[in-house]
Amino acid sequence: MTTLLKSATIIDASSPYHQQTKDILITDGIITKIDNNITSEENYTVVALDNLHVSPGWFDTSVSFGEPGYEERETLQHGVQVAAKSGFTHVAINPNTHPIVDNKSAIEFLINKVNGAATSIHPIGALTQQSKGVEMSEMFDMQQSGAIAFGDYNKPVSNDNLLKIALLYAQNFDGLVLSFPKNNLIAGEGVANEGKNSTLLGLKGIPALAEEIQISRDLFLLEYTGGKLHIPTISTTKSVQLIKEAKEKGLDVTCSVAVHNLILTDDELHGFEANKKVNPPLRTEKDRKALIQGLKEGIIDMITSDHNPIDIEHKKVEFSTAKDGTIGLESAFGALNTVLDLETIVNCLTSNPRKRFNVELASIKEDEKASLSIFNPDGAYTFSKENIISTSKNSIFLEKKLEGKVYGIYNNSQLILNS
């Protein structure tokens, strides 16, 4: 199969063609030629789209589907199609299924179920058995079967000693430990950011302190043990500062931020829309600006959609009892494109997460494997239900103005384009 991308603007700082507009010829999954004008032949699949841009394939480090156990939310087969049409060539799959992904058989099930799909999946194994936070899982066995990291999705490790032992043990096989930044005792029954809006709306608050005190603890443990720690989806000003100080000390720590925490604030809650109930919660404008600045300074390493499909029975209920979570794959690029420059977006979706999670990154140059996200950064539109491909429809960005269009991907020798 031969694919020809016509007049594609290349966004790839590691490529000699960065910021240049070129034709790209791909044969059997390999970039065979990049030139100003490549003549099409009869058997070529030609992609000639308006304002065509390409970058190395995007990698989302926090994606939940439903299978096994919650297929009504999203199946694996459909989920990877959603990811592909949203521009993602690689996704890390969270272990929050039923049963929890906490052993090698569960890892192998996920990998085998969608083997050969255009979007590659990379399972995250649970850090503790059944994600209960009591006993450590079979991390080494899971890594041997394909797990790229270990963490209990959206569940903090409350046992200090367990996290200490996990950080020590994982060093034996260069494992990456994830620790969700929330102290449940301080967060209590909170459902929204503690502040002016939660008070006005009568909602129980989650103080920023609940996140920051957990991050402080994690960093103290990391300094003691060594090893590699990733803190997913930070959301406060102080959290950014804590990560900055830890990096200046030389600790091997990285962190991510969810797209919605970069775009929206707790002002959105005046309407008690359950799709806007997320974990960590939407914070203040000051926090939002600090997160964007943290990205630009390289303190925050990567961005995730934190895609988490929830069925209507658990979302179309009172705000305080609704499940946390929003889908985010379809809206990720369009939302980010309203607040960040293109190079920052691409860097935080490609090289940074791939280095940390040890996922191969192919540059856009001749004789390299083709793993490409294909998009147009221009064009404003209102995100609506018609833009949702996911089985579940719980999007935090419904009726929001977004910028840019994803055309699709080329990955694993397959071209996937939105119709």
Side-chain angles (χ1 to χ4, degrees), residues 154-352:
N154 274 12
K155 291 182 177 180
V157 183
S158 57
N159 184 326
D160 308 331
N161 194 53
L162 191 151
L163 183 60
K164 183 198 80 175
I165 292 168
L167 285 165
L168 287 167
Y169 175 64
Q171 291 175 55
N172 293 309
F173 48 91
D174 198 33
L176 177 62
V177 172
L178 278 58
S179 179
F180 184 66
K182 184 179 182 182
N183 182 300
N184 276 339
L185 292 175
I186 291 176
E189 297 177 357
V191 296
N193 178 58
E194 183 181 85
K196 179 183 70 175
N197 283 313
S198 64
T199 303
L200 285 171
L201 297 169
L203 295 172
K204 291 181 179 179
I206 302 173
L209 177 67
E211 175 171 308
E212 295 151 6
I213 201 167
Q214 194 79 351
I215 290 176
S216 294
R217 180 210 67 168
D218 291 352
L219 294 173
F220 269 115
L221 288 172
L222 181 65
E223 189 171 11
Y224 177 81
T225 60
K228 300 195 301 187
L229 177 68
H230 177 69
I231 300 175
T233 57
I234 69 170
S235 67
T236 78
T237 303
K238 179 70 173 174
S239 295
V240 177
Q241 185 62 33
L242 289 167
I243 301 287
K244 180 181 180 181
E245 291 167 0
K247 287 187 171 187
E248 287 170 350
K249 282 183 179 180
L251 299 186
D252 193 353
V253 61
T254 51
C255 66
S256 67
V257 61
V259 172
H260 43 268
N261 286 105
L262 292 169
I263 317 294
L264 306 174
T265 70
D266 60 355
D267 290 340
E268 295 286 332
L269 303 184
H270 290 261
F272 300 97
E273 171 54 60
N275 285 343
K276 292 170 182 174
K277 188 184 181 198
V278 287
N279 187 19
L282 298 176
R283 301 286 188 183
T284 66
E285 179 65 8
K286 179 186 175 186
D287 292 316
R288 189 188 74 82
K289 288 180 175 176
L291 293 169
I292 289 176
Q293 189 61 33
L295 274 172
K296 290 178 177 177
E297 293 179 11
I299 300 163
I300 300 174
D301 303 271
M302 59 200 80
I303 303 167
T304 172
S305 70
D306 204 24
H307 180 85
N308 189 7
I310 305 293
D311 52 273
I312 194 168
E313 287 82 3
H314 290 99
K315 272 296 186 182
K316 204 166 185 180
V317 292
E318 188 178 324
F319 186 91
S320 58
T321 57
K323 281 191 176 294
D324 300 320
T326 175
I327 57 171
L329 286 168
E330 300 99 310
S331 53
F333 177 70
L336 291 173
N337 208 24
T338 64
V339 294
L340 292 170
D341 65 276
L342 198 50
E343 287 197 43
T344 299
I345 294 170
V346 168
N347 192 40
C348 291
L349 292 177
T350 58
S351 58
N352 286 359

